[in-house]
Amino acid sequence: MTTTRFHAPERLDEAIRLLAADDEARPLAGGQTLVAMLNADLLSPSQIISLHRIAALKGIEKRSDGSVRIGAMTTHAGLARSDVLRDGHRLLAQAAGRIGHEAIRNRGTIGGAVAHGDPSADYPPALVALDAVIEAVGPKGKREIPASDFFQGFLTTALGQGEIVAAIILPPSLNQARTHYEKFARVEGDFATVSVAVALWRGGVRIALGGVGPVPVRSAEAEAELQAGQLSDAAINDAGALLVAASDPLDDVRGSADYRRRLIPRLVKRAIRAAQAKDAR
Amino acid sequence: MSERVAVEFKVNGATHRVSVPATRTLMAVLRDDLGLTGTKNGCEQGVCGSCTVLVDGAPARACLALAATLPGVEIVTVEGLAQGDTLSPVQQAFLDAGAIQCGFCMPGMIIQATALLTENKRPSDDDIRHSISGNLCRCSGYAKVIEAISLAASRLAP
Ligand SMILES: Cc1cc2nc3c(=O)[nH]c(=O)nc-3n(C[C@H](O)[C@H](O)[C@H](O)COP(=O)(O)OP(=O)(O)OC[C@H]3O[C@@H](n4cnc5c(N)ncnc54)[C@H](O)[C@@H]3O)c2cc1C
């Protein structure tokens, strides 16, 4: 029987040192996934490295270039009510507010959710649509990974051994966009069957889908079609079909693959129309 | 087996110092170490809501919080709501509205409703449904629960 040791370092470099030295050690953020896995006997880490005391992982800050840096330990509830996220960046607050239930949002964090890499989770499509960057820190220092490269497969991310998510950075550009997050779930608080994150701006369109593939799904053709067709009903129908073709959904308890394919065009249309209805900038 | 960690926190106003294994949840500490069995053990996955308690005033799942990460916090469980023999307004309203069937989900529901009414003095039915969406009642007695929370709100309203 193994003994699980517990550390709650105050310094980020200390947490990284502990994690890098032991590949059976696990970082703990809000515990809303990790503790559920411990309870189900799916994991027995040698050490739990709790990140809750590390000041460098906290806070949401607007920087002078207009980008927003969100510390990894920011809770879903904290993001949902943050007034630092404005205009186009509200997409992320909207997604945060749709995660689980109030009690889950009060403790679960963006860093933990992003590191877990669940393709049905709400942040991955929202971050891809916002062209966000994941700031990762590890034994070799800091690197910035675009969200579209970060999510690599089912529960698989670009993080290396001993590396943790330190922050999420939203670039300033898409703050000018009109955005919307549309989530379709069986019941309130469930993971998405299909979700759609949309950003529309003068120069383009970005759409990312959740729940319909191992990573958030985009289609360059669909985005070009929408742009060229000026978001007409016909262009949206064509884009919907292109996104269905780009998707790779599974049959699971939240819906069959076929059901998900039928949802995509409808939700894409709903999301685009809802984004358009927001104030133009 | 786990290494033990010493933590001190308040539960229903009383300070407790416990020595817990690293992986011990707040739910296990409340129920098994402190004997506060009002907090129910349902799914251990955060889904059912029956272990909901207040941590520094905010609803949290006791089954998904490791006790070792909670030094210095204030916890309120269902046992902490009544003042002596006088039930809290939310508890009394649940009784008066006949909202309690088997009772298993009630501690979590009542804690969640208490948190809602602290934030929102005049919740609509929709606000109430949204708030308790993470508290499952297997007797499916939601209609009476919603009535009870509305009743508590009307009694608490100035
Ligand atoms: C009932 C319920 C409903 C839910 N519904 C939804 C939903 O609708 N949508 C949704 O998106 N999610 C949902 N979730 C998941 C929720 O968003 C979790 O909060 C999130 O997945 C994990 O965040 P956490 O802070 O709790 O991380 P933890 O559980 O502490 O950690 C999760 C994983 O990430 C690792 N980790 C944690 N922090 C870091 C870091 N900074 N860097 C590197 N690795 C790290 C941990 O080692 C672990 O492997 C739900 C969870 C529950 C229990």
Side-chain angles (χ1 to χ4, degrees), chain B residues 22-129:
Chain B
T23 53
R24 195 155 180 84
T25 63
L26 174 60
M27 182 174 74
V29 171
L30 292 172
R31 290 179 54 84
D32 303 336
D33 299 344
L34 304 181
L36 295 169
T37 53
T39 299
K40 298 301 175 207
N41 180 357
C43 69
E44 300 190 349
Q45 295 293 305
V47 176
C48 77
S50 60
C51 68
T52 307
V53 297
L54 301 179
V55 175
D56 289 336
R61 300 292 199 240
C63 74
L64 297 184
L66 294 186
T69 63
L70 299 172
V73 304
E74 297 212 14
I75 294 152
V76 175
T77 69
V78 71
E79 290 93 340
L81 297 180
Q83 305 274 356
D85 287 341
T86 309
L87 294 179
S88 77
V90 175
Q91 290 174 308
Q92 190 62 51
F94 270 71
L95 270 186
D96 294 345
I100 300 166
Q101 294 188 52
C102 88
F104 191 86
C105 68
M106 284 294 129
M109 282 283 186
I110 288 171
I111 289 283
Q112 181 64 38
T114 301
L116 170 68
L117 297 182
T118 308
E119 289 272 304
N120 182 350
K121 303 287 177 209
R122 294 176 188 278
S124 65
D125 277 8
D126 222 43
D127 294 337
I128 295 173
R129 284 169 194 275

Side-chain angles (χ1 to χ4, degrees), chain A residues 26-27 29-34 76 100 109 115 121-122 165 183 190-191, chain B residues 46:
Chain A
R26 281 288 190 129
Q32 304 302 292
T33 295
L34 185 63
H76 311 325
T109 68
D122 293 296
V165 175
K183 175 175 181 177
D190 194 10
F191 282 87

Side-chain angles (χ1 to χ4, degrees), chain A residues 26-37 43 51 57 72-73 76 98-101 104 107-116 120-124 159 163-166 183 189-192, chain B residues 45-47 61 64:
Chain A
R26 281 288 190 129
L28 171 71
Q32 304 302 292
T33 295
L34 185 63
V35 180
M37 291 170 87
L43 275 181
L51 306 177
L57 301 179
M73 290 299 280
H76 311 325
R98 296 298 307 276
I99 295 175
H101 315 286
I104 307 301
R107 300 201 73 79
T109 68
I110 188 167
V114 165
H116 189 53
S120 295
D122 293 296
Y123 291 129
L159 288 179
E163 217 174 13
I164 70 162
V165 175
K183 175 175 181 177
D190 194 10
F191 282 87
Chain B
Q45 295 293 305
V47 176
R61 300 292 199 240
L64 297 184

Side-chain angles (χ1 to χ4, degrees), chain A:
Chain A
M1 207 183 235
T2 54
T3 299
T4 306
R5 277 175 294 140
F6 181 83
H7 297 275
E10 279 179 38
R11 293 177 53 96
L12 184 57
D13 53 3
E14 175 68 1
I16 287 161
R17 192 186 60 74
L18 290 163
L19 288 165
D22 176 3
D23 63 7
E24 301 285 306
R26 281 288 190 129
L28 171 71
Q32 304 302 292
T33 295
L34 185 63
V35 180
M37 291 170 87
L38 293 173
N39 289 345
D41 280 332
L42 294 173
L43 275 181
S44 60
S46 57
Q47 308 184 58
I48 291 173
I49 314 297
S50 178
L51 306 177
H52 73 275
R53 294 172 71 195
I54 304 174
L57 301 179
K58 293 182 186 170
I60 309 176
E61 174 202 358
K62 181 140 202 170
R63 303 193 292 190
S64 54
D65 64 354
S67 63
V68 173
R69 185 179 184 280
I70 301 161
M73 290 299 280
T74 304
T75 61
H76 311 325
L79 258 184
R81 64 169 173 259
S82 167
D83 53 17
V84 181
L85 296 181
R86 293 189 177 271
D87 304 325
H89 290 159
R90 294 298 306 161
L91 170 61
L92 194 64
Q94 220 187 345
R98 296 298 307 276
I99 295 175
H101 315 286
E102 183 186 0
I104 307 301
R105 293 192 293 274
N106 283 339
R107 300 201 73 79
T109 68
I110 188 167
V114 165
H116 189 53
D118 187 325
S120 295
D122 293 296
Y123 291 129
L127 294 174
V128 168
L130 286 173
D131 204 14
V133 170
I134 316 301
E135 183 186 305
V137 180
K140 292 187 204 124
K142 181 159 99 178
R143 51 186 189 128
E144 294 195 341
I145 309 163
S148 43
D149 298 335
F150 183 85
F151 300 106
Q152 298 193 337
F154 180 74
L155 306 187
T156 307
T157 70
L159 288 179
Q161 165 71 30
E163 217 174 13
I164 70 162
V165 175
I168 311 298
I169 295 161
L170 303 182
S173 50
L174 288 177
N175 194 21
Q176 305 305 314
R178 286 178 291 170
T179 60
H180 184 75
Y181 184 68
E182 184 74 31
K183 175 175 181 177
F184 185 92
R186 294 173 304 170
V187 292
E188 173 94 25
D190 194 10
F191 282 87
T193 303
V194 176
S195 68
V196 182
V198 177
L200 310 173
W201 67 100
R202 234 180 264 288
V205 177
R206 273 174 89 95
I207 297 188
L209 309 181
V212 294
V215 296
V217 170
R218 274 182 78 194
S219 159
E221 295 81 5
E223 291 171 9
E225 181 71 34
L226 287 166
Q227 169 100 9
Q230 299 185 341
L231 307 177
S232 66
D233 281 344
I236 293 177
N237 289 342
D238 290 348
L242 288 163
L243 280 159
V244 171
S247 71
D248 182 18
L250 292 176
D251 292 316
D252 72 12
V253 57
R254 298 192 174 86
S256 66
D258 187 50
Y259 181 55
R260 288 179 153 103
R261 282 188 208 99
R262 286 162 191 258
L263 282 173
I264 291 169
R266 291 166 172 80
L267 295 177
V268 164
K269 181 164 194 176
R270 211 186 269 180
I272 290 174
R273 294 299 181 223
Q276 284 181 300
K278 296 185 185 173
D279 290 343
R281 257 167 299 280

